[in-house]
Amino acid sequence: MPESLPARRVLLVDCDAFFVQVARLEDPEGAGKSPLLIVGGSASGRGVVTSASYETRAYGVRSAMPTAQALRLCPDATVVGVPRGSVTRRSREVRAVLEELSPVVQAASVDEFYLDLTGTERLFAPETLEDTAWRIRSEVLARTGISVSLGGGTRRVIAKLAATRAKPAGVHIVAEGTEQKFLDPLRLAELPGVGPALVESLGKKGLITVAEARAVQPEWLRRWFGPRRGEWLHRRIHGIDGSPVDPHERRKSISSERTFSEDLHRDDDLDQRLLELSTSIGSTLRKKELRTRTVTVKLRDHDFTTRQHSRTLPEPVESNQAIIDIARTLLRELRADRRVPVRLLGVGLSGLTGSSQSAQLPLFDDPGGHQETERDRNLSRVVDRLSDRFGYGTVVSGGMVGTRPDTRDRENQDHVPTSKKDEHS
DNA sequence: TCTGGGGTCCTAGGACCC
DNA sequence: TCTGGGGTCCTAGGACCC
């Protein structure tokens, strides 16, 4: 690393228990009054914890834990569903404030934002980076009602780790030159990107902390964990991270999946769900003015076996008809391989390109017969407009894309008992 | 305990081409 | 006639993050 460059000033803004905060703001009289609050669970009763209030974390409740288990640990907790729309809206509000306060902002997720303040030293003087972080925290809280924590340092990975130290509702800045002293006592499991599988392999070599791993020759790390992974690990334990804060990240994939309240085994039920998922992501694709070349269908069988098939087309497509045609073929293949009750069905689109690029004339006939016509594209846009106006379900069950109303009725009944459960908890 | 939903990135093997 | 090597694309699966 060239040491002559001026030190970067990176902050990570991380919303404290974001989904819990949003649920409380949206329902001040209900969720807002329960200290023991869990956001998550799903209508199906097969849910997991998305976010838990700090009070419930004291009982051992954690994200991704089955809601049933969380309630055993903390029986007095209130469980509310995920307020998806509000989460997106409030996330945008936080981002908008940050964009006024920092020249470079990158959303890393719905509740995390990297800021690069390099070059603002004189502008903000005599404020230190820590002062700036506190100022940003107050400003975001005052203008959005959302409490955030900030971590800061000379690199993204340092800012990220510092933010976990700052939580909740605090600030932690790692001064330039003290990075290694900050990293050494950490457990390797705390490093972003080091998950359960790598922790296990590291543990087998007797490596638990960053300091221990740093005592190992890089050559051994590469031999033990493979050249690329070993190299990555070496950089990580030394806090080496040249990745920029990039405000122009573009989406690489769009997907939607559902876990059913009860496993599905009938092909026409699955087909119906496939249709709904395909129409929904197709609409997202077109709203973002994108086209896709690769369609993926994912199945999770009743025994949690997860399988997927995908197909890449010679030319990008954007219509519901094209997506559904391929998705149906892929689902048939998956069902032919293994025909057991299905727990989850998903559809994904990748290989995304801008739809503004004029469609090329296909050079040859696609053997899959998934040629997209101008008529397909126009029809999809009509469906989008009608869905916006009258609601998504109306159009789908109206037969425009070939649905059968009787199946929809059964699906609607599915949700009755589950919404009762939500009210109860 | 019985496992959500939205993503990104990496690996490895096979096809295909030069 | 028993056999090279590199590059790119596609597919399936898995690790990881929030």
Side-chain angles (χ1 to χ4, degrees):
Chain A
M1 295 248 297
E3 294 296 330
S4 53
L5 292 174
R8 294 165 64 206
R9 312 202 316 150
V10 179
L11 291 179
L12 176 64
V13 182
D14 194 327
C15 304
D16 302 320
F18 186 49
F19 287 55
V20 167
Q21 285 200 73
V22 172
R24 286 180 167 157
L25 288 168
E26 296 297 315
D27 180 17
E29 293 307 307
K33 296 214 159 133
S34 334
L36 297 177
L37 185 64
I38 293 172
V39 178
S42 72
S44 64
R46 284 175 149 175
V48 299
V49 175
T50 295
S51 182
S53 69
Y54 287 96
E55 290 88 339
T56 62
R57 293 184 197 188
Y59 290 78
V61 176
R62 295 288 178 271
S63 292
M65 176 183 278
T67 312
Q69 186 188 350
L71 282 172
R72 272 191 295 276
L73 291 170
C74 186
D76 295 330
T78 301
V79 182
V80 299
V82 178
R84 291 220 170 269
S86 313
V87 163
T88 308
R89 184 167 48 79
R90 301 229 179 226
S91 173
R92 286 202 196 108
E93 288 172 13
V94 171
R95 181 182 183 147
V97 171
L98 294 175
E99 279 171 349
E100 287 181 32
L101 302 175
S102 165
V104 181
V105 178
Q106 175 182 0
S109 73
V110 75
D111 66 345
E112 282 186 331
F113 306 87
Y114 282 98
L115 315 183
D116 193 335
L117 296 165
T118 311
T120 60
E121 293 85 344
R122 280 198 219 158
L123 189 65
F124 292 164
E127 217 179 50
T128 63
L129 185 57
E130 173 152 5
D131 296 334
T132 307
W134 281 111
R135 175 167 58 83
I136 290 172
R137 190 190 126 67
S138 315
E139 191 88 1
V140 170
L141 183 60
R143 292 174 56 184
T144 67
I146 297 291
S147 163
V148 300
S149 298
L150 291 95
T154 53
R155 296 144 220 179
R156 282 173 57 131
V157 66
I158 299 291
K160 167 89 179 149
L161 285 162
T164 62
R165 183 72 56 91
K167 276 172 166 292
V171 165
H172 187 93
I173 306 293
V174 176
E176 184 188 0
T178 67
E179 289 88 356
Q180 201 63 64
K181 210 172 91 190
F182 171 73
L183 289 170
D184 272 344
L186 297 180
R187 281 175 298 111
L188 290 159
E190 295 177 74
L191 299 180
V194 179
L198 189 50
V199 165
E200 163 128 32
S201 322
L202 287 160
K204 282 182 181 154
K205 304 292 183 191
L207 305 177
I208 305 299
T209 68
V210 171
E212 285 164 1
R214 217 156 56 77
V216 176
Q217 292 296 320
E219 173 57 24
W220 282 106
L221 295 180
R222 286 191 285 267
R223 277 199 217 176
W224 287 342
F225 306 109
R228 289 185 65 112
R229 197 131 190 86
E231 184 56 36
W232 176 86
L233 190 60
H234 174 254
R235 287 201 309 272
R236 191 116 291 199
I237 58 186
H238 288 85
I240 302 170
D241 179 9
S243 61
V245 179
D246 175 12
H248 308 295
E249 358 75 278
R250 46 176 260 270
R251 190 87 80 108
K252 304 223 167 49
S253 68
I254 296 170
S255 69
S256 184
E257 59 185 54
R258 285 294 163 265
T259 297
F260 308 124
S261 51
E262 282 172 16
D263 298 341
L264 298 185
H265 57 277
R266 287 173 37 137
D267 282 325
D268 48 359
D269 286 345
L270 284 168
D271 207 57
Q272 170 64 24
R273 295 304 197 131
L274 191 74
L275 195 70
E276 292 166 6
L277 290 166
S278 303
T279 312
S280 157
I281 56 170
S283 145
T284 306
L285 182 77
R286 291 183 294 273
K287 253 179 210 142
K288 297 190 179 294
E289 302 195 317
L290 294 169
R291 288 185 177 167
T292 176
R293 278 191 61 213
T294 305
V295 179
T296 302
V297 172
K298 171 174 164 184
L299 273 194
R300 177 122 73 211
D301 295 326
H302 68 101
D303 61 357
F304 224 73
T305 304
T306 307
R307 311 176 283 136
Q308 60 180 48
H309 273 198
S310 62
R311 191 80 80 240
T312 299
L313 305 169
E315 297 297 330
V317 296
E318 64 170 47
S319 70
N320 287 340
Q321 199 54 59
I323 294 167
I324 288 163
D325 276 354
I326 305 157
R328 281 208 171 112
T329 307
L330 295 168
L331 177 60
R332 262 200 305 276
E333 292 169 4
L334 284 159
R335 293 285 284 166
D337 289 346
R338 190 165 188 250
R339 213 179 163 70
V340 294
V342 173
R343 175 188 180 89
L344 168 149
L345 179 64
V347 182
L349 308 175
S350 52
L352 306 180
T353 56
S355 64
S356 50
Q357 299 163 4
S358 64
Q360 277 179 268
L361 287 174
L363 300 174
F364 50 87
D365 282 339
D366 175 21
H370 304 301
Q371 209 69 260
E372 178 175 79
T373 64
E374 192 56 41
R375 186 179 172 279
D376 291 333
R377 289 195 280 270
N378 289 336
L379 182 54
S380 295
R381 296 212 177 87
V382 171
V383 172
D384 289 344
R385 279 197 290 276
L386 290 175
S387 306
D388 281 348
R389 214 182 306 171
F390 303 113
Y392 158 75
T394 325
V395 181
V396 172
S397 57
M400 295 210 60
V401 279
T403 355
R404 301 186 3 254
D406 56 331
T407 339
R408 273 229 51 98
D409 293 342
R410 274 174 28 80
E411 297 301 331
N412 289 340
Q413 284 164 16
D414 254 10
H415 289 94
V416 173
T418 51
S419 51
K420 267 189 199 151
K421 181 182 181 295
D422 273 1
E423 287 163 25
H424 149 83
S425 36

